[in-house]
Amino acid sequence: MSVLVYIEHAEGKVKKTSLEAVSFANALAAKTGEGDVVALALGAIDQAELAAVGKAGAAKVLQVSDSRLDAGVIQAHATAVAQAFEKAGASTVVLAKSSLGDAVAARLSIKIKAGLVSNVVELPNTDGGYLVKRSIYTGKAFAETSLTTANKILAVKKNAVDLKTDGGDAAVEALEVSIPDSDFASKIVSTERATGEVLLPEADIVVSGGRGMKGPENWGMIEDLAKTLGAATGCSKPVSDMGWRPHHEHVGQTGVKVAPSLYIAIGISGAIQHLAGVNSSKCIVVINKDPEAPFFKAADYGIVGDAFEVVPKLNEALKAEL
Amino acid sequence: MKILVCITHVPDTTSKIQFTADNTKFDTTGVQFIIGPYDDYALARAVELRDQTSGKLTVLNVGESETEPTLRKALAIGADEAIRVNASPKDSFFVAEQIAHYAKEGGYDLILMGRESIDFNGGMVHGMVGEILGMPSFSPVMKLDLDGTSVTMSREIEGGKEVVEASLPLIAGCQEPIAEWKIPNMRGIMSARTKPLNVVEPVSEETQAVAVKYELPPAKGAVKLIDKDNVSELVKLLKNEAKVL
Ligand SMILES: Cc1cc2nc3c(=O)[nH]c(=O)nc-3n(C[C@H](O)[C@H](O)[C@H](O)COP(=O)(O)OP(=O)(O)OC[C@H]3O[C@@H](n4cnc5c(N)ncnc54)[C@H](O)[C@@H]3O)c2cc1C
Ligand SMILES: Nc1ncnc2c1ncn2[C@@H]1O[C@H](COP(=O)(O)O)[C@@H](O)[C@H]1O
């Protein structure tokens, strides 16, 4: 038996969340005695990147070099993972929660008759049963979920385990799969992705601005601060509704859910729907000129003050320190 | 064209989440239930597409009788008929099996759902139904346009979006800005009373991943305020106390 990990990559680079999924699988296998961790990479991937997959805890990487799989065609990916699952003799699939991962996991669960738990936040409790803790109500609560099928799929939330970096070298093996043409009936005709920036859902530090920033012309100071910190930029919903920032930066109940180590909220009031997207952050810093802003109740550190004054100063202080 | 929209009946986004019965049941005290916000986007787009194609729009919920006001609201927004599968939604697989069965019977060309339910946030039901029915499924979809049986969608990916072309029938999990939420008007509310709401029984009982116990996150300690003229203090705290830099 083994634990199979579905790896995602963008432009050949393995996503950090996928490496976390490998580390999760490694810890899971150690706990359940399910054998080796086998990572599955679909489409063209940078060979040098595979070393990181080994370090994160995979013993083997199965590589399917079919250029039709370079793009994330949902049905075709699900078919490929199902075949790899059979060939690897796996019992569990672990993957990182993402736009593609979720879509693939759902179809896969029917194909391999596996119970699926999403938003998993820690290793399952296997004393006597198989209880998986997952985040529900958009981070406002947790549920212990009893998984009763022989085959299992766990879609893991960011920061569920620490990233392992001391694993060995993974053996790379080519894998052939046969995917029906019908799985490619839908076509991805174009992709627009911000390049060279830190991606919001995966970022370790996020700097977000709200309506208190007054207008898109003031985003320079948010971007400068993000640059100093190596952070991604986010925003509140009204900010993306008004077109100040692109939709994929909108954080919250109806937007991206982030789970960084550090979330810095600038000129955001802290409405419950915004908090729903950030409540998995390890540490929250709030900068707001209104001492009564509800965000302060959810914050670890706060500065009451005008963003236009505080943010440039903070940027200078960070530059001096980092 | 026949369109099916699957809606959830979930606590309003401002609700305080609490549990009872030794943390095994959701506490509905003082909670207002709504159509899931993502399902509301799906419904709004479905109303537009129904009007565009002079089609028929059905809404479906898997839930017990308390969800009927939510289904009536969907009728008031513009759906033509409603189906309630009379069962508590035990897990995503259970829900997907019910939806797949009634979707197949109805022969729908387009099935719209929300990107995810805001109670259990799985984001899984659309993909499961797609696989059971052998139909393509896409999520999260921010734009969906029809031209005959060709469909063009914009799907959100991390840090951007992709444009996907496919053909009917298909399933999409929707999110903004696919359409503007629609608020029921007086005429809608009046006509919703007489539109059909059919109650059907579940077709299978199988479950795979059922929640058995709930837990709230630990309460947050008080915020530490730092003077605005002493921001280097914040940098020190982030570095040495929180250890996040
Ligand atoms: C169903 C539903 C879903 C929603 N989903 C989301 C979601 O996913 N994400 C989301 O963000 N919102 C969401 N909302 C909207 C949410 O309720 C709030 O309206 C929104 O978060 C407010 O955005 P804001 O904090 O940027 O703006 P405001 O509430 O206007 O707050 C601006 C803040 O900036 C401060 N400020 C002003 N000037 C300065 C200055 N110079 N320096 C420092 N601070 C300053 C003010 O004190 C204030 O606290 C949703 C609402 C609903 C009903
Ligand atoms: N009980 C239910 N009844 C009808 N539709 C549902 C139900 N649960 C989930 N759905 C649909 O499936 C979508 C995704 O839900 P989930 O996989 O639970 O996040 C929702 O937005 C709804 O459109």
Side-chain angles (χ1 to χ4, degrees):
Chain A
M1 284 205 296
S2 60
V3 179
L4 185 72
V5 185
Y6 169 63
I7 298 284
E8 281 187 73
H9 48 95
E11 275 103 47
K13 293 252 174 297
V14 177
K15 290 189 173 180
K16 187 175 166 228
T17 45
S18 287
L19 294 177
E20 280 188 15
V22 171
S23 302
F24 186 97
N26 183 283
L28 177 69
K31 186 168 183 171
T32 58
E34 270 169 295
D36 282 341
V37 173
V38 178
L40 174 68
L42 305 178
I45 184 166
D46 200 343
Q47 292 302 308
E49 283 284 301
L50 297 179
V53 178
K55 294 254 179 332
K60 188 155 77 176
V61 180
L62 296 176
Q63 211 191 340
V64 182
S65 318
D66 179 338
S67 63
R68 295 177 303 169
L69 294 172
D70 290 357
V73 185
I74 295 163
Q75 279 174 282
H77 273 231
T79 300
V81 183
Q83 288 182 20
F85 181 82
E86 299 298 335
K87 289 190 181 162
S91 43
T92 305
V93 177
V94 174
L95 73 163
K97 238 193 112 58
S98 75
S99 153
L100 181 61
D102 286 350
V104 168
R107 298 195 75 103
L108 181 68
S109 76
I110 302 296
K111 282 184 194 287
I112 63 171
K113 296 188 170 51
L116 164 59
V117 185
S118 182
N119 281 312
V120 175
V121 295
E122 62 186 37
L123 287 174
N125 173 347
T126 51
D127 312 333
Y130 200 99
L131 285 179
V132 192
K133 186 167 168 180
R134 67 179 156 142
S135 150
I136 56 169
Y137 292 103
T138 328
K140 291 185 208 165
F142 299 100
E144 288 286 358
T145 304
S146 169
L147 195 46
T148 48
T149 48
N151 292 342
K152 299 174 176 69
I153 305 177
L154 304 179
V156 180
K157 203 168 160 167
K158 192 169 170 289
N159 285 340
V161 291
D162 289 330
L163 183 64
K164 183 178 161 76
T165 51
D166 61 353
D169 291 330
V172 180
E173 249 177 54
L175 178 76
E176 293 281 331
V177 294
S178 70
I179 303 173
D181 287 339
S182 56
D183 276 4
F184 293 100
S186 64
K187 297 243 163 353
I188 298 171
V189 291
S190 68
T191 303
E192 258 177 59
R193 198 195 293 266
T195 50
E197 290 174 30
V198 186
L199 292 182
L200 184 57
E202 294 163 26
D204 218 36
I205 303 182
V206 175
V207 180
S208 261
R211 198 143 59 179
M213 291 307 297
K214 308 281 191 283
E217 66 280 6
N218 298 323
W219 239 260
M221 66 177 92
I222 301 269
E223 278 165 349
D224 288 346
L225 184 60
K227 198 162 163 226
T228 305
L229 289 163
T233 52
C235 65
S236 65
K237 179 165 151 51
V239 165
S240 69
D241 285 349
M242 292 182 290
W244 296 0
R245 300 298 294 172
H247 182 264
H248 65 254
E249 284 198 3
H250 141 210
V251 171
Q253 178 97 52
T254 46
V256 180
K257 281 88 185 165
V258 297
S261 322
L262 175 59
Y263 186 81
I264 304 183
I266 305 167
I268 305 180
S269 58
I272 194 159
Q273 296 96 351
H274 187 83
L275 297 183
V278 307
N279 51 20
S280 303
S281 309
K282 269 189 209 150
C283 176
I284 295 179
V285 173
V286 169
I287 300 170
N288 196 304
K289 69 173 185 190
D290 175 8
E292 301 299 324
F295 221 144
F296 285 118
K297 290 207 176 64
D300 298 281
Y301 302 102
I303 295 182
V304 178
D306 185 341
F308 295 85
E309 208 182 291
V310 175
V311 174
K313 275 201 222 156
L314 177 60
N315 192 21
E316 289 314 310
L318 280 163
K319 273 193 192 149
E321 190 74 25
L322 296 178
Chain B
M1 184 166 85
K2 295 186 74 178
I3 307 173
L4 178 70
V5 175
C6 301
I7 63 167
T8 53
H9 161 88
V10 288
D12 169 64
T13 51
T14 57
S15 307
K16 188 166 166 51
I17 303 300
Q18 293 180 105
F19 301 99
T20 57
D22 198 18
N23 282 329
T24 59
K25 271 207 168 63
F26 179 75
D27 183 356
T28 56
T29 316
V31 171
Q32 198 191 336
F33 283 84
I34 56 166
I35 299 176
Y38 295 107
D39 311 340
D40 228 354
Y41 286 119
L43 180 61
R45 186 64 187 134
V47 169
E48 295 168 359
L49 293 171
R50 186 268 323 270
D51 291 347
Q52 181 190 319
T53 61
S54 309
K56 183 168 182 191
L57 171 54
T58 307
V59 285
L60 179 151
N61 169 259
V62 180
E64 292 176 321
S65 56
E66 73 269 11
T67 74
E68 289 196 2
T70 301
L71 279 168
R72 286 276 173 218
K73 180 164 181 218
L75 291 170
I77 288 171
D80 300 302
E81 60 169 20
I83 301 175
R84 181 171 68 83
V85 180
N86 186 28
S88 145
K90 300 177 190 77
D91 70 4
S92 340
F93 176 73
F94 174 85
V95 170
E97 289 241 290
Q98 316 307 325
I99 295 177
H101 175 82
Y102 288 103
K104 197 170 177 181
E105 279 206 335
Y108 298 96
D109 305 291
L110 180 64
I111 304 176
L112 298 185
M113 304 195 192
R115 165 207 184 127
E116 66 179 30
S117 56
I118 63 158
D119 48 4
F120 284 163
N121 309 107
M124 297 294 163
V125 169
H126 24 74
M128 288 179 173
V129 173
E131 188 63 34
I132 298 171
L133 294 177
M135 259 188 218
S137 54
F138 306 88
S139 177
V141 173
M142 305 192 287
K143 190 169 186 289
L144 186 151
D145 291 316
L146 277 182
D147 182 4
T149 58
S150 310
V151 185
T152 307
M153 285 166 281
S154 162
R155 185 176 160 266
E156 187 163 81
I157 55 176
E158 281 72 25
K161 57 187 172 187
E162 61 188 23
V163 177
V164 186
E165 285 176 3
S167 39
L168 296 177
L170 62 80
I171 301 176
C174 306
Q175 75 171 29
E176 65 171 352
I178 194 161
E180 296 261 348
W181 284 329
K182 294 196 180 353
I183 297 156
N185 58 24
M186 212 43 188
R187 226 182 73 214
I189 295 168
M190 296 303 286
S191 67
R193 294 191 189 152
T194 51
K195 286 179 181 172
L197 193 166
N198 299 315
V199 179
V200 296
E201 291 306 313
V203 289
S204 79
E205 289 298 332
E206 194 184 342
T207 59
Q208 297 179 331
V210 175
V212 290
K213 193 147 191 164
Y214 302 102
E215 192 183 308
L216 292 173
K220 192 110 190 163
V223 58
K224 226 179 226 183
L225 289 179
I226 295 113
D227 190 88
K228 68 178 171 34
D229 296 318
N230 192 12
V231 290
S232 53
E233 175 66 15
L234 174 63
V235 177
K236 280 195 200 102
L237 287 168
L238 292 176
K239 210 170 167 179
N240 306 324
E241 190 177 78
K243 299 191 169 53
V244 290
L245 289 183

